[in-house]
Amino acid sequence: IGQGGFTSQQLLNDLRPYAKRDLHIRVNSGGGDVFEGITIFNQLRQHHGTVRVTIDGLAASAASVIAMAGSQISMHPTSCMMIHNAWGMVVGDAHEMRAMADVLEKVSNQIAEVYASRTTQSVAQIQAWMSDESWMTA
């Protein structure tokens, strides 16, 4: 997702002919750029048709966030979803490293809210699973 993979701009272009039609999104992705994933999630949530998501193989990292955009989300018995705290890289001094840690914490909290809104689990429980890098099955 992003940087050489599927992008939010590509999604906008691909969805243009289907602006008000129902969609069935099939996911098999190890994830990618968190901000691209969040953007794709938001684009799908704003789509004017029903969005159904099926996890065919893997929905990991940013792909698991995208999967949450479905009004109906299903997984095959042999599929997996992996969630974890946001990751990032930074070059710089201690101030820049601390600032990046704040950004990562903020993004992780936003993602936990997305998962919690789609489940019966508390944000605190989801944050614990994200901290543990959790792999889930159907």
Side-chain angles (χ1 to χ4, degrees):
I1 298 167
Q3 300 181 8
F6 188 77
T7 66
S8 56
Q9 185 59 55
Q10 183 178 349
L11 178 66
L12 283 178
N13 295 338
D14 290 349
L15 287 182
R16 198 163 285 125
Y18 307 100
K20 296 185 181 189
R21 295 181 59 189
D22 294 346
L23 301 176
H24 184 189
I25 306 295
R26 305 185 79 92
V27 178
N28 182 35
S29 174
D33 184 288
V34 67
F35 293 110
E36 276 294 295
I38 289 169
T39 303
I40 292 168
F41 165 83
N42 288 328
Q43 290 170 337
L44 291 172
R45 293 296 290 177
Q46 294 171 22
H47 183 72
H48 293 290
T50 300
V51 177
R52 187 168 49 118
V53 172
T54 301
I55 300 167
D56 283 329
L58 175 63
S61 192
S64 69
V65 176
I66 292 169
M68 297 298 109
S71 56
Q72 177 188 4
I73 304 164
S74 61
M75 294 175 70
H76 296 285
T78 53
S79 298
C80 287
M81 179 181 291
M82 185 273 283
I83 63 173
H84 64 85
N85 286 323
W87 297 352
M89 294 174 51
V90 65
V91 174
D93 62 16
H95 173 75
E96 290 161 332
M97 302 252 179
R98 284 186 197 98
M100 179 59 146
D102 290 343
V103 169
L104 291 172
E105 187 173 79
K106 186 176 289 188
V107 171
S108 293
N109 289 338
Q110 289 175 312
I111 292 168
E113 292 280 347
V114 168
Y115 296 138
S117 74
R118 299 311 318 269
T119 69
T120 60
Q121 301 300 315
S122 69
V123 171
Q125 176 61 67
I126 299 227
Q127 287 170 327
W129 288 336
M130 289 171 65
S131 291
D132 289 342
E133 185 181 290
S134 299
W135 289 79
M136 303 171 190
T137 62

